[in-house]
Amino acid sequence: MLNNLTDTEEGDGGAQSQGDNNPKESSPFINSSDVAAEKSQQYDGKNMALFEEEMDTSPMVSSLLSSLANYSNLPQGSKEHEEAENNEAESSRKKPVKAPQLGTLMGVYLPCIQNIFGVILFLRMTWLVGIGGVIGTFVIVFICCTTTMLTAISMSAIATNGVVPAGGSYYMISRSLGPEFGGAVGICFYLGTTFAGAMYILGAIELLLIYIAPKAAIFPLEGLEGAEAEAALLNNMRVYGTILLTSMATVVFVGVKYVNKLALVFLACVILSILAVYAGVIKTGIDAPDFPVCLLGNRTLVWKKFDVCAKTIESANGTVTTQLWRMFCDSPFLNATCDKYFADNNVTRVQGIPGITSGILTENLFGNYYEKGDLVAKTYVDSVEGVDDPLTNSNRYVLADITSFFTLLVGIYFPSVTGIMAGSNRSGDLRDAQKSIPIGTIAAITTTSAVYMSSVIMFGACIEGVVLRDKFGEGVNGNLVIGTLAWPSPWVIVIGSFFSTCGAGLQSLTGAPRLMQAIAKDSIVPALRIFGHGKANGEPTWSLLLTACICESGILIASLDAVAPILSMFFLMCYMFVNLACALQTLLRTPNWRPRFKFYHWALSFLGMSLCLTLMFICSWYYAIVAMVIAGSIYKYIEFAGAEKEWGDGIRGLSLSAARFALMRLEEGPPHTKNWRPQLLVLVNTDAEQNVEQPRLLSLTNQLKAGKGLTIVGTALEGTYLENSDRAQRAEQALHKLMETEKLKGFCQVTVSSNLRDATSHLLQASGLGGLRHNAVLVSWPRNWKQADEHQTWRNFIELVRETTAAHLALLVPKNIAAFPSNGERFTEGHIDVWWIVHDGGMLMLLPFLLRQHKVWRKCKMRIFTVAQMDDNSIQMKKDLTTFLYHLRIDAMVEVVEMHDSDISAYTYEKTLVMEQRSQILKQINLTKTEREREIQSITDSSRGSIRRKNPAAVTIQLSVTEDQPGGSKEEKPEEESKSASSPVSSPAQVQLIHDNTTPTSPATPATPLTPATEGAQTPGQQVQMTWTEKCDGEPAKPPGAATPEGIKDIFNMKPEWENLNQSNVRRMHTALRLNEVIIKKSSEAKLVLLNMPGPPKNRTGDENYMEFLEVLTDGLNRVLLVRGGGREVITIYS
């Protein structure tokens, strides 16, 4: 409940609500500046020393209760708006104006009565009974009233679950269902209220032009028939409706206080009108009033321009024709030529209101639906007419003005039960809203439902059927049909209903702008912020202007029957979401859901919601779809561009419950191969300022996310969490910011541990939740791994490779990540080359497919290379691979590369020798200086004995050349290698390696060729000449092919050292060089090369050699993605 006690930024649009972009609601108690300012007074002299360190965040209970007691809501009237504005500027000179304290009767019951009883009761209720029949109309009334009663129960539960500031239904929905639903439904409720104003104005004009002052019509209806008469009436409605709307808007603009003062007058008109109807019904049982209806055959005649309902009358001079005769005949004489139907049928005069005891109810039980232009005829009365006789003199008869059907009646009637929110909209004015809103609203709905249901029965029991179906009372001398029933005079109803509809229109024009202002000041819809401003006293001027414009669009429709279904849609949608909010809160059992109103149940709320949805489509399926599209568009707009608000809404609780349910389902077993998608754990490094060092890693992640799924971006920090919590928070914020920049949806996680290796291992093990865990790790290749002070980086990297293998996780290692494209780049052509050396479960096939779903790689074509050994049939391999790709539904060019066994080149031996010497030197990094020098000397003596005898200067040169690689220094002396490895090391990237099935300790054997890499590789013979000349003689490399007899002789002089090399390392180096040569030849121009990543040696003594093998394998390639499968199939040929 504390979260509900917010400042004036909620609902009524106080001064603090304008775009503060605060994602959470502010509370008057916790962490507020007032509490911080008074903390010393709160704790001084108290026996609370045990809690004094928490005084900044936790207020004393006495302070909390004091704040509660002083809390008040700003009500909705202009006086209070003015007080809110002035308090902000002149708080020192003005005392707060106390809000009006209204009880249940004046604050809720009577306003609801006034809003529910309206224009439909007076203008359309009798027609609904006549068309739908007593039974059909009673069903409509019962369904609609049941819907509003169930909605009122749900609304009462929400309204009593904490303080509801002024803002009413919008506040309740938005705080229960979140800003997206709240904004969408709030705007729908606003549109419904606005169109209700249009409907009331049209009703008032209809009363004025048809019943009160027909001669005031600007476009006269005299002499017009059919479509012309209808058009003239609609034009009159438009002109007078616009005039009345302008007048009402002016009154509201001048001051809402005038509307509030007239509210009781309008309410009195409504109540007196209804009492007059009941009095008239009672009187019909005693003495039925004389309202005759004239029938010709069974057709109802328009009682106009004739005085006697007869063809002829007897007088002293004999039989005389009447005015009715002259309307159907060409002369007043008895021998005149008359209308055929007039001549064949008798004229009958029936009583329009036979009375409640007449038994007319049985005739009115069932409905009579008409097409537009049909004659309104009396049932059970015969008439003489030919089947093919044309309808003549149609303007003499009462005709149906619209095509009627059951669903239309529902749409027209439903607005007469709206208005149940009137009490909750005044919640800021109530003495005890939590008590008054449920009692007053439910009592008002009970009262109005009883009146409506009894009215249906009374109208059917008292009024003749043809009169009921006569919408405009043309058969009863142009009287309002319900007025003919009223006592003492029809004018009581006419005048009373006119003023009540005008009052209801004013109320709509008063309430709708304030609702829009509340939505605008919540800043959830950026485009509506201008409507949060108004006059100096807070009156919503701009919102009033918008409301008047929308209301004018309803008036231009000009038909009450067409406008009613429109506002029915918006109100039904609002009520539906009120029920949904209550049901959700009840089912989720959130701790804050503790309504004082106990007579609710989630099943009732769901029933109410279902009824609302059903009625929407019953009323008008196309209007329902339009309303839903409008609400959906607003929802998505708020979600995309709206301000972030955290209101503790039920949708968030629903998301949590749904997530828990889904996670529990995921725990039931691993996903099927068809459902496999890369759930990535992306490991990044951060610098001293906690900025991400490899932002392109997230770009690549985004490009891989065509498979959707989970993304966790993680980083590791060194230290203890207590001392580095701020660093961790900054790092998390940096990750969030970069993810937003890269438009990458996912989660971020920062782990702090005593060393980076453990922190990365913790990330690998603990990331994710239940079945929603990562199945692949994306990590960048350690760039400067050869530098002496970065030795721990490659050790961490290799350990990460081992851990991903042990955890059965896939591993993706992009090399040269800085060269990868950003999300804004586009490749217009090129290839993605896949070098498929060993089977990895299909990862190498799936990844290019996912990449090509992204616009960066979309125009790149896919090529797949595989390697054939001596005993393989390369032609059959290509055929089989093509068939396999066809079944996988992957378009790619296929090529089989033949790699024949060949002798191991001298260059291979030399590379291996240099690598092993470097490895031995690296082992000495942690020794003391003296020990290191002695060890290096020992290594040098044992490995270079023959060279020392021939060329003593070569030892030092050889050692320096060992580090001669791009990114490393050209002369790394032992002193440089003694640098401590304690410098910050980025969190290791996670990679997945492929173990060699043939030789477990040497994944890169000639029998199982490994992966490609190296741009511009030369033939082994050329490389031997260049390398040997540079490293042994210390001279510049000679051009390819410049081998001399002396150089060849030197190579053979090295033979004894080659024989001492680890033959496993020689074979691996041979494989890496051969593969690199082939890959450079085929894929040097490729935009991206994907290849299998070999696994690290099981014996940790060869770790540094493993890095060298991968470096040689990928040498010369611009963009490489090393891929290691997770030990399971990830792609299938089956559907």
Side-chain angles (χ1 to χ4, degrees):
M1 272 189 30
L2 293 184
N3 288 336
N4 288 336
L5 297 173
T6 65
D7 54 30
T8 58
E9 61 100 7
E10 315 298 356
D12 69 331
Q16 300 177 21
S17 67
Q18 301 183 27
D20 55 12
N21 293 322
N22 185 6
K24 298 183 182 295
E25 288 192 74
S26 57
S27 166
F29 325 118
I30 308 299
N31 290 329
S32 68
S33 59
D34 293 337
V35 172
E38 297 174 2
K39 62 185 179 182
S40 58
Q41 287 81 0
Q42 292 173 2
Y43 284 86
D44 286 349
K46 311 288 186 186
N47 296 320
M48 292 291 171
L50 187 61
F51 301 96
E52 62 186 7
E53 291 185 358
E54 301 176 13
M55 67 170 64
D56 290 335
T57 56
S58 303
M60 296 275 292
V61 173
S62 58
S63 169
L64 175 68
L65 296 176
S66 175
S67 300
L68 278 168
N70 294 329
Y71 175 76
S72 64
N73 294 304
L74 285 180
Q76 291 176 294
S78 62
K79 184 176 182 181
E80 291 75 20
H81 275 289
E82 183 178 0
E83 182 260 320
E85 292 289 332
N86 292 339
N87 274 354
E88 185 179 354
E90 308 175 38
S91 57
S92 60
R93 293 187 295 172
K94 273 198 174 250
K95 294 182 179 179
V97 177
K98 193 175 182 180
Q101 298 296 299
L102 299 177
T104 303
L105 181 67
M106 295 300 295
V108 181
Y109 180 77
L110 291 179
C112 284
I113 291 286
Q114 182 182 359
N115 278 268
I116 294 172
F117 285 137
V119 63
I120 300 297
L121 173 63
F122 301 120
L123 291 181
R124 293 291 183 269
M125 198 68 189
T126 53
W127 178 77
L128 290 171
V129 175
I131 297 294
V134 172
I135 295 176
T137 309
F138 190 88
V139 169
I140 293 173
V141 171
F142 180 79
I143 292 174
C144 293
C145 291
T146 302
T147 302
T148 55
M149 179 61 79
L150 293 173
T151 304
I153 292 172
S154 299
M155 183 191 71
S156 298
I158 297 173
T160 58
N161 187 52
V163 176
V164 179
S169 55
Y170 160 70
Y171 182 92
M172 289 189 294
I173 295 170
S174 62
R175 271 53 177 184
S176 297
L177 294 179
E180 293 87 1
F181 274 110
V185 178
I187 290 175
C188 286
F189 189 54
Y190 162 77
L191 292 173
T193 307
T194 304
F195 275 103
M199 183 188 72
Y200 291 131
I201 291 173
L202 289 173
I205 299 303
E206 185 176 309
L207 285 164
L208 178 69
L209 293 180
I210 295 179
Y211 306 110
I212 298 176
K215 297 187 180 299
I218 297 175
F219 300 92
L221 303 178
E222 296 294 331
L224 299 179
E225 296 184 19
E228 293 180 352
E230 183 180 355
L233 177 62
L234 293 179
N235 288 331
N236 283 320
M237 301 279 282
R238 293 183 180 110
V239 172
Y240 277 98
T242 303
I243 294 171
L244 186 57
L245 171 63
T246 306
S247 304
M248 288 183 173
T250 304
V251 171
V252 174
F253 177 78
V254 169
V256 74
K257 57 186 177 182
Y258 301 112
V259 178
N260 292 334
K261 288 179 180 178
L262 292 172
L264 283 177
V265 176
F266 298 139
L267 177 60
C269 292
V270 172
I271 295 174
L272 286 175
S273 300
I274 293 172
L275 291 177
V277 171
Y278 276 94
V281 170
I282 295 171
K283 185 176 181 299
T284 61
I286 304 169
D287 179 21
D290 183 27
F291 277 101
V293 178
C294 193
L295 301 178
L296 177 60
N298 64 353
R299 300 177 182 178
T300 309
L301 292 171
V302 175
W303 198 298
K304 189 187 295 183
K305 297 183 179 178
F306 68 90
D307 52 356
V308 180
C309 182
K311 293 182 180 180
T312 59
I313 55 174
E314 298 295 331
S315 66
N317 298 326
T319 303
V320 179
T321 58
T322 61
Q323 292 177 340
L324 184 61
W325 176 282
R326 299 185 189 102
M327 291 169 60
F328 287 92
C329 301
D330 56 3
S331 72
F333 304 108
L334 291 174
N335 59 353
T337 303
C338 296
D339 180 89
K340 187 174 185 305
Y341 186 83
F342 179 79
D344 293 344
N345 290 275
N346 294 323
V347 174
T348 311
R349 183 178 185 273
V350 298
Q351 190 55 257
I353 302 180
I356 196 168
T357 57
S358 63
I360 196 71
L361 179 65
T362 55
E363 293 184 17
N364 293 329
L365 282 178
F366 302 102
N368 294 273
Y369 296 99
Y370 293 128
E371 295 288 331
K372 183 176 181 179
D374 285 356
L375 294 161
V376 176
K378 181 173 173 57
T379 52
Y380 311 116
V381 173
D382 295 330
S383 68
V384 179
E385 59 181 314
V387 177
D388 298 326
D389 290 346
L391 177 63
T392 55
N393 294 298
S394 60
N395 61 327
R396 311 298 185 194
Y397 304 111
V398 177
L399 304 176
D401 65 323
I402 59 172
T403 300
S404 54
F405 41 89
F406 181 80
T407 57
L408 173 73
L409 303 188
V410 177
I412 292 175
Y413 172 74
F414 188 81
S416 64
V417 296
T418 60
I420 63 173
M421 299 288 189
S424 63
N425 289 342
R426 295 166 176 258
S427 54
D429 301 335
L430 300 175
R431 184 184 306 115
D432 185 356
Q434 297 191 11
K435 176 184 176 183
S436 298
I437 289 177
I439 295 174
T441 305
I442 292 175
I445 293 175
T446 304
T447 304
T448 53
S449 300
V451 170
Y452 281 132
M453 291 178 185
S454 61
S455 296
V456 171
I457 297 171
M458 288 189 305
F459 293 160
C462 295
I463 304 177
E464 171 63 47
V466 291
V467 179
L468 288 173
R469 294 187 286 278
D470 183 2
K471 183 184 289 185
F472 301 111
E474 295 172 301
V476 285
N477 281 318
N479 282 296
L480 180 64
V481 174
I482 193 174
T484 61
L485 189 61
W487 180 86
S489 167
W491 286 101
V492 175
I493 290 286
V494 173
I495 300 300
S497 58
F498 176 77
F499 280 112
S500 68
T501 50
C502 287
L506 278 173
Q507 293 286 351
S508 296
L509 289 179
T510 302
R514 277 165 176 69
L515 180 58
M516 174 55 69
Q517 187 181 44
I519 297 171
K521 286 198 171 185
D522 263 349
S523 299
I524 58 173
V525 185
L528 298 179
R529 283 177 183 156
I530 186 175
F531 299 108
H533 306 295
K535 292 196 295 186
N537 63 355
E539 285 297 303
T541 309
W542 289 105
S543 297
L544 177 61
L545 183 62
L546 175 67
T547 303
C549 292
I550 297 175
C551 196
E552 176 64 19
S553 67
I555 288 172
L556 292 177
I557 297 174
S559 170
L560 183 69
D561 302 323
V563 172
I566 296 176
L567 66 101
S568 294
M569 291 302 110
F570 293 122
F571 278 119
L572 279 167
M573 183 167 288
C574 177
Y575 296 165
M576 179 175 71
F577 281 104
V578 169
N579 284 297
L580 174 63
C582 181
L584 273 183
Q585 300 276 30
T586 306
L587 288 175
L588 293 175
R589 297 177 182 174
T590 51
N592 192 56
W593 180 246
R594 302 185 299 275
R596 290 188 178 278
F597 180 78
K598 301 299 181 184
F599 305 100
Y600 67 93
H601 193 270
W602 65 266
L604 294 177
S605 298
F606 266 118
L607 178 60
M609 184 180 69
S610 303
L611 282 174
C612 289
L613 188 62
T614 304
L615 285 175
M616 285 178 67
F617 283 92
I618 285 178
C619 292
S620 173
W621 64 267
Y622 45 88
Y623 279 160
I625 291 174
V626 170
M628 288 182 170
V629 168
I630 291 173
S633 302
I634 297 168
Y635 179 96
K636 296 305 292 184
Y637 174 72
I638 295 174
E639 187 179 54
F640 176 74
E644 292 185 5
K645 297 282 183 181
E646 175 54 70
W647 286 330
D649 51 87
I651 292 298
R652 187 174 181 84
L654 179 64
S655 301
L656 290 172
S657 295
R660 185 184 66 85
F661 176 77
L663 286 172
M664 297 301 292
R665 290 290 302 273
L666 287 174
E667 281 286 278
E668 295 175 3
H672 191 273
T673 301
K674 291 187 290 186
N675 295 326
W676 193 95
R677 57 184 60 182
Q679 320 277 20
L680 291 176
L681 171 61
V682 185
L683 295 177
V684 297
N685 303 328
T686 55
D687 56 22
E689 285 75 33
Q690 312 311 320
N691 295 318
V692 177
E693 292 181 350
Q694 309 108 348
R696 287 295 171 87
L697 207 56
L698 296 193
S699 301
L700 177 61
T701 306
N702 188 16
Q703 293 156 25
L704 278 168
K705 292 316 288 180
K708 306 302 179 188
L710 173 71
T711 302
I712 302 174
V713 181
T715 189
L717 300 179
E718 191 171 12
T720 61
Y721 184 74
L722 285 179
E723 296 174 355
N724 295 277
S725 57
D726 291 340
R727 280 182 61 211
Q729 189 172 7
R730 290 199 304 273
E732 188 171 356
Q733 291 171 352
L735 292 181
H736 269 301
K737 186 175 180 181
L738 184 59
M739 290 173 71
E740 289 179 4
T741 303
E742 296 293 339
K743 297 181 180 178
L744 180 63
K745 293 186 177 181
F747 311 97
C748 60
Q749 189 168 348
V750 179
T751 303
V752 184
S753 187
S754 56
N755 61 74
L756 292 177
R757 173 85 290 277
D758 290 345
T760 306
S761 181
H762 297 161
L763 267 178
L764 194 69
Q765 297 174 59
S767 295
L769 179 64
L772 192 65
R773 298 193 72 246
H774 54 279
N775 54 25
V777 179
L778 178 64
V779 68
S780 179
W781 173 264
R783 265 184 318 180
N784 303 323
W785 68 273
K786 290 189 177 183
Q787 294 181 5
D789 57 352
E790 294 287 336
H791 76 283
Q792 194 60 40
T793 303
W794 61 263
R795 292 185 188 278
N796 291 346
F797 175 78
I798 294 175
E799 285 302 305
L800 179 64
V801 176
R802 289 193 172 102
E803 287 181 356
T804 55
T805 303
H808 302 291
L809 299 175
L811 182 61
L812 313 177
V813 183
K815 194 165 180 283
N816 302 329
I817 186 63
F820 278 67
S822 66
N823 291 327
E825 297 180 41
R826 304 285 185 276
F827 288 131
T828 55
E829 58 182 358
H831 295 93
I832 299 176
D833 286 357
V834 176
W835 284 82
W836 193 19
I837 312 300
V838 295
H839 184 55
D840 59 351
M843 281 286 290
L844 283 173
M845 308 294 176
L846 185 62
L847 292 177
F849 171 78
L850 296 179
L851 282 174
R852 291 181 66 232
Q853 306 305 305
H854 196 275
K855 51 193 174 184
V856 172
W857 304 92
R858 188 165 293 151
K859 294 188 178 180
C860 291
K861 298 186 182 302
M862 182 175 167
R863 296 189 300 190
I864 296 182
F865 297 90
T866 190
V867 176
Q869 302 299 312
M870 278 292 292
D871 53 349
D872 292 330
N873 184 339
S874 58
I875 297 175
Q876 187 62 37
M877 281 180 66
K878 182 173 182 178
K879 183 178 179 182
D880 293 343
L881 182 54
T882 304
T883 304
F884 179 58
L885 291 175
Y886 176 79
H887 288 305
L888 287 177
R889 290 89 65 200
I890 291 177
D891 296 325
M893 294 181 287
V894 175
E895 185 170 345
V896 177
V897 178
E898 296 182 353
M899 287 185 63
H900 301 296
D901 289 342
S902 60
D903 294 335
I904 298 175
S905 65
Y907 178 64
T908 302
Y909 280 110
E910 184 193 352
K911 287 284 288 184
T912 308
L913 176 63
V914 172
M915 177 187 73
E916 289 193 354
Q917 289 175 346
R918 182 181 182 281
S919 298
Q920 292 180 23
I921 292 172
L922 288 175
K923 292 176 183 177
Q924 312 306 315
I925 286 177
N926 293 323
L927 300 178
T928 64
K929 182 177 180 180
T930 305
E931 291 172 330
R932 185 166 59 251
E933 289 175 350
R934 185 165 58 248
E935 186 69 22
I936 292 173
Q937 186 63 38
S938 167
I939 295 168
T940 306
D941 291 343
S942 62
S943 63
R944 290 296 195 177
S946 62
I947 299 180
R948 190 185 304 113
R949 289 190 297 273
K950 180 174 177 63
N951 188 356
V955 178
T956 308
I957 296 171
Q958 182 63 38
L959 285 175
S960 67
V961 174
T962 304
E963 297 297 326
D964 187 14
Q965 296 288 343
S969 91
K970 294 204 170 182
E971 289 192 13
E972 281 186 337
K973 298 181 174 57
E975 286 76 16
E976 293 173 318
E977 293 170 340
S978 67
K979 293 181 182 176
S980 169
S982 62
S983 58
V985 183
S986 54
S987 56
Q990 303 184 3
V991 189
Q992 201 154 4
L993 309 177
I994 311 300
H995 282 293
D996 187 336
N997 296 330
T998 312
T999 53
T1001 52
S1002 56
T1005 61
T1008 319
L1010 276 175
T1011 36
T1014 24
E1015 192 172 340
Q1018 301 156 344
T1019 63
Q1022 295 168 339
Q1023 291 170 335
V1024 167
Q1025 166 116 18
M1026 290 182 64
T1027 308
W1028 181 252
T1029 306
E1030 179 180 349
K1031 292 190 176 182
C1032 281
D1033 299 336
E1035 297 172 1
K1038 295 178 182 179
T1044 62
E1046 290 78 15
I1048 296 173
K1049 183 178 179 182
D1050 286 341
I1051 293 174
F1052 285 105
N1053 288 339
M1054 283 291 293
K1055 188 75 173 179
E1057 281 69 31
W1058 291 355
E1059 290 177 350
N1060 295 331
L1061 294 175
N1062 184 320
Q1063 292 304 307
S1064 174
N1065 288 342
V1066 173
R1067 291 197 307 274
R1068 293 186 188 185
M1069 183 63 74
H1070 177 65
T1071 303
L1073 285 170
R1074 289 294 310 280
L1075 273 175
N1076 179 257
E1077 179 185 348
V1078 173
I1079 294 170
I1080 289 294
K1081 182 178 178 181
K1082 297 286 186 180
S1083 302
S1084 59
E1085 300 298 325
K1087 301 299 182 186
L1088 177 64
V1089 175
L1090 289 88
L1091 54 109
N1092 292 118
M1093 181 179 182
K1098 292 184 177 179
N1099 185 357
R1100 295 179 185 272
T1101 57
D1103 283 357
E1104 57 277 0
N1105 298 338
Y1106 172 73
M1107 297 296 291
E1108 190 70 43
F1109 292 142
L1110 293 182
E1111 194 71 61
V1112 171
L1113 182 64
T1114 58
D1115 187 28
L1117 293 174
N1118 186 26
R1119 300 184 192 91
V1120 185
L1121 184 60
L1122 296 169
V1123 180
R1124 186 160 168 76
R1128 62 159 296 166
E1129 293 293 330
V1130 301
I1131 195 167
T1132 178
I1133 62 174
Y1134 300 105
S1135 62

